[in-house]
Amino acid sequence: MEELVRKLVGECRVQQAVAMTTLENDMRLFAYPLPDHGVLLALGLGPAAALTAEELLRRRAGLLRQAGGWLPSMFSDDSLYLLRRLSAQDEEGGEALARQLDFAREMLN
């Protein structure tokens, strides 16, 4: 998945637009370019998902030490996402990013 993140980050930077893909179980991943050359990464579920905002907040609160870097968000279509600003080191991939992505996927499942 880290390779996919690097691809999306590169694409969003080149196009200066959101780059998005759909993963298994209708999970969505997107990268959003920020004005300061940073990137916002989002992993989430569409509005038809069984997970509620309250449950996502409870899960995050229960694991705040590990989940603190992921910010829950509900979009206007009622889809739920976990957002994370990527550092330059995160954008390169590696173990830390892989662990964070796995953790976010677990919170959403």
Side-chain angles (χ1 to χ4, degrees), residues 1-10 13 29 31 34 37-42 66 68-70 83-102:
M1 185 147 165
E2 306 89 75
E3 182 62 35
L4 182 57
V5 169
R6 281 194 298 272
K7 180 181 173 191
L8 287 176
V9 166
R13 285 181 187 260
L29 175 68
L34 298 172
H37 303 290
V39 173
L40 187 66
L41 185 68
Q66 300 94 329
W70 290 101
L83 308 174
R84 181 181 189 88
R85 185 184 180 112
L86 293 184
S87 68
Q89 184 179 9
D90 288 336
E91 290 177 30
E92 298 300 318
E95 287 291 317
L97 179 59
R99 281 192 309 272
Q100 285 299 316
L101 289 167
D102 288 343

Side-chain angles (χ1 to χ4, degrees), residues 55-72:
E55 179 61 26
L56 181 58
L57 289 170
R58 255 189 241 103
R59 289 178 186 181
R60 182 177 179 269
L63 301 165
L64 196 53
R65 182 176 297 268
Q66 300 94 329
W70 290 101
L71 301 176

